[in-house]
Amino acid sequence: MRYSPAEIEPKWQAVWDADAALYAAEPHETGKPKYYCIEMLPYPSGKLHMGHVRNYAIGDALARHMWMRGYNVLHPMGWDAFGLPAENAALKNNTPPREWTLANIAAMRQQMRRMGLSYDWATEVTTCLPEYYRWNQWFFLKMYEQGLAYRKNSKVNWCPECATVLANEQVVNGCCWRHEDTIVEQRDLTQWFLRITRYADELLQGLDKLEGWPEKVRTMQRNWIGRSEGTNVDFAEAKSGAKITVFTTRVDTIYGATSVQLAPEHVVAKAFAAEDAALAEKIAELLEQQKQAREAGDVGAIEKHGVDTGRFAINPYTGEQVPIWVANYILADYGTGAIMSVPAHDERDWEFAKKYGLALKRVIVPEEVTELPDLPYVEEDKSVLVESGAYSGLSCAEAQRQMQALALEKQFGTATVTFRLKDWGVSRQRYWGTPIPMVYCACSGEEPIPVPAEQLPVLLPEQIEITQQGGSPLGRVPEFVQTTCPRCGGPARRETDTMDTFVDSSWYFYRYTDAHNSSAPFASDKANYWFPIDQYIGGVEHAILHLIYSRFWTKVMRDIPSGDGGLIRNSEPAERLFTQGMVIKDGAKMSKSKGNVVSPDDMIARYGADATRMYALFAAPPDRDLEWQEEGVAGVSRFLGKVYRLTTKYAAVRGSAEAGAGNGAGLKLLRTLHQTIAKITHDFGGRWHFNTSISAIMILVNEIAAHEAALDSGEVPPAVVAQLFRGLTQLLAPFAPFLAQELWAQTGGEGAVFRAAWPAVDEALAREDELEIPVQANGKLVTVIKVAADSDQAAVQAAALADARVAARVAGKTVAKVIVVPGKLVNLVIK
RNA sequence: GCCCGGAUGGUGAAAUCGGCAGACACAGCGGACUUAAAAUCCGCAGGCCGCAAGGCCGUGGGGGUUCAAGUCCCCCUCCGGGCACCA
């Protein structure tokens, strides 16, 4: 019988599908430790791609291993089911988004089953269904109550292709994250925002404690949050006394400020423009330049331009008047939209001042160097102030402290912290998303009225006509828009924007713990049992989208009063995060346009799910990019064929365990088995280098094949043969579950192989009794000697020196020193 | 510019704590089996010199520490990723 995954895999798939309890989590009362392992939920595009296969192969191996280690494992799967592709498909094929999405889910669920993934389908979450999204609305109302959800008019990112607003996190290099070549426009719109900035500090500080997260992700989040400590200082416009607050991180350089620079949209700049048509025109020009640079995605490349307003501002520290300029490189939405320009000590200010011939004044010098450094001198450490009144002679840090203290005392400024992170814009002018549960009524003017919680869900109407023109599609559905005001009972209209789909994925993993709760998003005790997630696995592309939003959501839920605490206890969603590398082909990310897409279906049809999954784990360590080579899959398939041939050949051999290891071949094989168990157990506990785990299994199988004659002759005791193949089968279970299950059954195993206990390492059996010790001369290999494992240093040294090749090398020279590293090597220092 | 990764045979990679560089595979070459092929099995395989024994060189480059460096330290190059006139 040849190895035939096409027969084995569907057979076991049917058995597993019929057993609902197989992958189900157990009740909390079980004495077992819990283990919550999840992979990021996919968007139901209709087909799995290789990136999914890799992601799920990693998570599945881990979940199965943890079951075998005796944990109570929660391993769920769900669907990030709202989003634009469903609407686009509707436009193209005239299929309702819901129908399209649910059909895709069914197809992908089927693919996952075919892959043999161990999900507990009883906890499946589909975010586009009302039983899920009603809780998005519920959370939205809670946030509204707490001032965390609010509406404001502002400049927002608009993708013309998506015909909707995007969050800052969804703009990549000035383009849409979904349409890499579509430049995002800036529009003024009134939109809903979630106040993620309220948690900015906690989100930042929490990163230090997330030791189980990749440093890379933590760094990306730190950069994204962009905390910057500084000082707000109020300058006064000389004529009107109008306040111009500037933000600076270097208040110590303020005696060197030679101008104030305003963003083109700054209120004061607008006020000046209103009185001066020529100036207004110039400012409009600057604004246009800035807008274009922003839309080109490279504000950094903007050529600096500015205009002198002819007005002056009074520096509150010096009483000096400095000219006020408007410049295109000053951003209205960072800091206060106004800066003080210190050309002597800032690169940008230096460049700008040189271009326009503005004054410069040196106020910081190195502490010790006698020669004055070239300008701009931006060093802050080991530097002192000069020409700065009473502050002259102070270190920069001390000057900052004293100057902040004065500003506070005289009430013209304050120490302040500025973040790059902006509030999360969640309104989307699209149909296929969660309706925002708000109502507008004449009785409250422009103030929105929340839909009462008992009226949730606000259902998304189905059977509507979808177009991309003219704003939110829901706005053209009168049955949806027209409603009754919850406050006055009169006619009112609903909010017609829907929520960003990242809302859905911000808390979905809590819902898994209580997926069918119809009175709450989940029960706190259930979430508290499973959370935090022990291991979260997904792509690094979500480092500053999903992974920052879901950290925010977790903190919000913790702060929602419930019972004697919050809704949950944990402050972070996941203890450990693993970001797997991309799957590439011919050196590039797989994409339709490049024509280098490898279909998982094809691979499974040709080599089986086991070989496909196992190759995804074998070809590279999981955190690195993986180059897909079909020959490699064929190689793994050949290997599995070898395992099948050998195991089935000896499957009927049984023997009493007390018979002992025997000697020779039997002992050697058992030793390798236990060394392999030790290695793989260790890999799961630490580095997750499954490529080396699988190579260890290959070494074991090669060793078995090399001893086939001894197995045939009966030289190896039957108990050893049985133990060997049982062990091999168990080691294979996390990586090739179908084949492992088949062989488990054939070798007499009961039930599911991945519910059998993970084999224990017999340390004594694993230990070699003879070691190969390399002998070096001055660090270069001379020979390898064999010594008994328990040899002491003197014995090893004697054996090394007794070796003929060593003697030949040493002849006529002096051995100055002998270094013996126990169990490792001998190095002779020869002169 | 700042920050985080990375660079090892023809290819994917291994070397977990400073201790035999290239495990395990893929591709290749040679052989067995076969009328032949596929499949399978056995063997060879970093580079250079050499019939061989053996020697020399070799982990992006340069320096250093050490009995010993892919691994530690300093400097540099290139590649990938993040942030960026952010005041």
Side-chain angles (χ1 to χ4, degrees):
Chain A
M1 271 286 281
R2 297 247 328 255
Y3 168 53
S4 171
E7 286 170 39
I8 293 171
E9 296 183 353
K11 180 177 89 184
W12 287 107
Q13 189 200 326
V15 173
W16 293 342
D17 283 352
D19 184 356
L22 190 62
Y23 301 124
E26 294 168 47
H28 307 174
E29 301 75 48
T30 176
K32 297 176 178 179
K34 68 96 183 175
Y35 195 84
Y36 189 3
C37 161
I38 66 170
E39 299 106 64
M40 288 180 187
L41 89 176
Y43 177 79
S45 59
K47 268 204 162 104
L48 293 182
H49 55 65
M50 277 302 173
H52 291 129
V53 169
R54 190 181 196 195
N55 187 185
Y56 307 151
I58 295 166
D60 199 60
L62 180 65
R64 287 176 190 275
H65 176 74
M66 295 315 280
W67 266 308
M68 295 177 86
R69 294 287 293 276
Y71 285 81
N72 183 19
V73 177
L74 178 58
H75 188 220
M77 184 40 73
W79 310 98
D80 188 14
F82 271 138
L84 266 183
E87 269 178 82
N88 293 338
L91 284 167
K92 211 167 142 193
N93 315 324
N94 206 26
T95 328
R98 179 185 162 103
E99 201 175 288
W100 182 86
T101 303
L102 294 182
N104 284 349
I105 288 172
M108 289 172 80
R109 196 192 292 119
Q110 192 46 42
Q111 281 183 297
M112 289 178 175
R113 288 193 155 131
R114 180 61 190 87
M115 274 183 69
L117 299 172
S118 57
Y119 300 126
D120 179 3
W121 291 108
T123 64
E124 182 180 7
V125 163
T126 303
T127 61
C128 67
L129 300 178
E131 52 264 40
Y132 184 81
Y133 71 68
R134 64 175 295 183
W135 302 111
N136 285 344
Q137 297 172 338
W138 185 86
F139 280 121
F140 192 92
L141 295 176
K142 289 278 177 196
M143 290 197 200
Y144 183 74
E145 274 170 30
Q146 306 198 6
L148 284 167
Y150 67 97
R151 213 164 79 109
K152 72 168 180 194
N153 181 280
S154 76
K155 223 159 241 11
V156 291
N157 311 296
W158 178 270
C159 173
E161 199 69 32
C162 297
T164 185
V165 165
L166 301 176
N168 293 333
E169 288 78 4
Q170 290 161 339
V171 180
V172 180
N173 291 326
C175 294
C176 173
W177 67 304
R178 286 291 191 213
H179 304 97
E180 288 175 20
D181 301 320
T182 305
I183 289 171
V184 171
E185 300 167 8
Q186 299 294 309
R187 290 196 180 179
D188 271 308
L189 288 169
T190 300
Q191 301 278 293
W192 284 96
F193 289 84
L194 298 184
R195 208 179 295 278
I196 191 170
T197 53
R198 188 181 284 178
Y199 289 91
D201 250 322
E202 199 194 338
L203 285 167
L204 183 69
Q205 279 164 24
L207 291 170
D208 295 338
K209 286 174 267 164
L210 285 177
E211 278 157 18
W213 284 40
E215 189 52 46
K216 180 184 176 152
V217 172
R218 296 201 278 167
T219 305
M220 281 167 73
Q221 292 207 359
R222 275 189 201 104
N223 285 341
W224 187 258
I225 295 168
R227 185 180 199 272
S228 172
E229 282 184 22
T231 314
N232 278 351
V233 179
D234 299 336
F235 282 61
E237 203 266 306
K239 242 193 247 168
S240 65
K243 194 155 83 172
I244 301 173
T245 306
V246 306
F247 172 68
T248 176
T249 54
R250 291 293 306 276
V251 70
D252 52 306
T253 65
I254 201 164
Y255 279 75
T258 56
S259 67
V260 162
Q261 304 279 341
L262 305 179
E265 290 168 278
H266 195 279
V267 244
V268 172
K270 281 181 179 164
F272 292 167
E275 296 169 16
D276 181 341
L279 184 63
E281 200 176 307
K282 284 259 179 70
I283 292 176
E285 220 171 275
L286 294 169
L287 182 61
E288 183 56 28
Q289 289 159 4
Q290 188 176 83
K291 194 177 150 200
Q292 277 175 13
R294 248 185 223 255
E295 290 182 352
D298 199 358
V299 189
I302 194 170
E303 207 196 320
K304 286 188 190 55
H305 290 292
V307 57
D308 189 348
T309 63
R311 313 289 190 108
F312 291 88
I314 300 164
N315 181 334
Y317 286 92
T318 62
E320 263 172 25
Q321 295 200 2
V322 294
I324 301 172
W325 284 60
V326 176
N328 63 355
Y329 70 97
I330 308 299
L331 307 172
D333 58 0
Y334 183 78
T336 58
I339 65 156
M340 63 178 199
S341 177
V342 185
H345 305 292
D346 182 277
E347 292 280 356
R348 287 174 313 258
D349 295 348
W350 168 260
E351 195 191 316
F352 190 84
K354 235 170 48 178
K355 178 168 180 172
Y356 287 101
L358 299 179
L360 61 93
K361 187 180 167 197
R362 186 195 295 267
V363 292
I364 308 288
V365 295
E367 199 173 72
E368 279 168 12
V369 188
T370 44
E371 198 180 324
L372 286 177
D374 288 344
L375 294 178
Y377 175 72
V378 298
E379 195 56 49
E380 191 167 350
D381 294 331
K382 296 197 173 149
S383 301
V384 294
L385 277 68
V386 293
E387 311 260 333
S388 298
Y391 303 99
S392 297
L394 294 180
S395 72
C396 292
E398 182 53 30
Q400 283 171 22
R401 264 192 296 279
Q402 294 192 16
M403 287 169 144
Q404 281 178 349
L406 181 79
L408 202 62
E409 188 195 320
K410 304 269 185 197
Q411 297 191 3
F412 62 74
T414 172
T416 178
V417 175
T418 295
F419 291 94
R420 212 187 78 88
L421 180 75
K422 299 283 187 307
D423 280 338
W424 174 13
V426 293
S427 298
R428 295 292 178 274
Q429 291 69 48
R430 299 309 313 249
Y431 160 71
W432 192 233
T434 305
I436 294 174
M438 287 288 166
V439 163
Y440 303 95
C441 176
C443 77
S444 73
E446 266 311 289
E447 192 214 332
I449 301 165
V451 172
E454 59 277 11
Q455 287 178 24
L456 298 183
V458 175
L459 282 174
L460 190 62
E462 289 175 31
Q463 310 300 336
I464 79 150
E465 200 204 329
I466 293 164
T467 69
Q468 279 201 1
Q469 281 80 47
S472 300
L474 287 177
R476 288 185 303 276
V477 184
E479 317 84 271
F480 177 82
V481 177
Q482 292 162 14
T483 185
T484 309
C485 175
R487 199 166 286 172
C488 71
R493 64 193 162 83
R494 288 193 189 280
E495 168 67 59
T496 57
D497 282 355
T498 53
M499 294 183 204
D500 183 3
T501 57
F502 279 97
V503 166
D504 308 334
S505 54
S506 289
W507 68 279
Y508 75 101
F509 30 50
Y510 290 91
R511 182 72 178 171
Y512 284 143
T513 67
D514 194 10
H516 304 289
N517 195 326
S518 56
S519 59
F522 50 83
S524 292
D525 62 330
K526 292 189 173 163
N528 285 337
Y529 171 77
W530 287 107
F531 270 80
I533 294 163
D534 293 277
Q535 185 68 59
Y536 197 24
I537 307 166
V540 75
E541 66 272 16
H542 288 110
I544 44 178
L545 284 158
H546 165 59
L547 287 173
I548 211 160
Y549 294 144
S550 56
R551 291 185 60 223
F552 159 64
W553 210 279
T554 289
K555 293 171 197 306
V556 170
M557 293 195 302
R558 178 201 59 198
D559 294 343
I560 290 176
S562 167
D564 29 335
L567 206 53
I568 52 171
R569 279 199 301 261
N570 52 302
S571 293
E572 293 287 347
E575 189 83 22
R576 285 166 57 91
L577 169 73
F578 188 89
T579 52
Q580 89 268 10
M582 283 189 303
V583 180
I584 57 177
K585 171 87 178 138
D586 307 323
K589 191 177 175 178
M590 288 185 189
S591 73
K592 271 187 212 149
S593 58
K594 291 196 191 87
N596 61 350
V597 176
V598 179
S599 139
D601 285 345
D602 284 356
M603 286 296 128
I604 291 170
R606 228 168 287 174
Y607 304 101
D610 281 340
T612 304
R613 294 172 52 158
M614 198 152 149
Y615 173 74
L617 296 176
F618 176 63
D623 52 347
R624 257 205 243 184
D625 284 354
L626 172 130
E627 167 78 26
W628 195 270
Q629 290 178 316
E630 188 166 339
E631 298 81 10
V633 189
V636 171
S637 173
R638 263 199 300 278
F639 166 73
L640 293 176
K642 195 167 167 182
V643 172
Y644 182 83
R645 182 183 70 80
L646 287 166
T647 308
T648 51
K649 184 173 174 190
Y650 304 104
V653 179
R654 300 281 187 281
S656 149
E658 295 86 61
N663 48 26
L667 185 62
K668 175 91 185 97
L669 288 170
L670 273 191
R671 174 165 293 156
T672 306
L673 172 67
H674 281 272
Q675 287 170 350
T676 310
I677 295 168
K679 159 141 187 63
I680 295 176
T681 307
H682 188 256
D683 278 346
F684 269 108
R687 296 193 315 161
W688 280 22
H689 279 201
F690 300 130
N691 52 331
T692 65
S693 306
I694 292 167
S695 102
I697 298 177
M698 288 173 171
I699 291 168
L700 171 64
V701 172
N702 288 346
E703 183 113 6
I704 293 171
H707 288 87
E708 207 170 338
L711 290 167
D712 287 341
S713 70
E715 181 195 331
V716 179
V720 173
V721 176
Q723 197 193 334
L724 196 59
F725 287 101
R726 280 294 196 86
L728 170 61
T729 302
Q730 287 171 295
L731 291 177
L732 216 50
F735 309 112
F738 288 116
L739 178 61
Q741 182 60 54
E742 171 69 19
L743 297 176
W744 180 252
Q746 289 204 25
T747 53
E750 292 287 327
V753 61
F754 51 86
R755 291 294 187 140
W758 185 251
V761 183
D762 185 330
E763 298 286 354
L765 208 46
R767 200 170 301 125
E768 296 283 353
D769 46 24
E770 199 178 48
L771 297 176
E772 294 196 336
I773 301 291
V775 182
Q776 299 178 331
N778 295 335
K780 289 197 174 177
L781 184 69
V782 177
T783 189
V784 177
I785 58 169
K786 283 191 175 178
V787 299
D790 54 4
S791 307
D792 59 16
Q793 286 201 17
V796 173
Q797 180 169 339
L801 291 169
D803 184 87
R805 297 172 66 109
V806 174
R809 184 67 66 97
V810 169
K813 290 172 181 156
T814 338
V815 178
K817 198 175 173 186
V818 180
I819 289 143
V820 180
V821 184
K824 284 278 165 91
L825 105 173
V826 177
N827 190 16
L828 309 170
V829 185
I830 298 173
K831 280 175 187 162

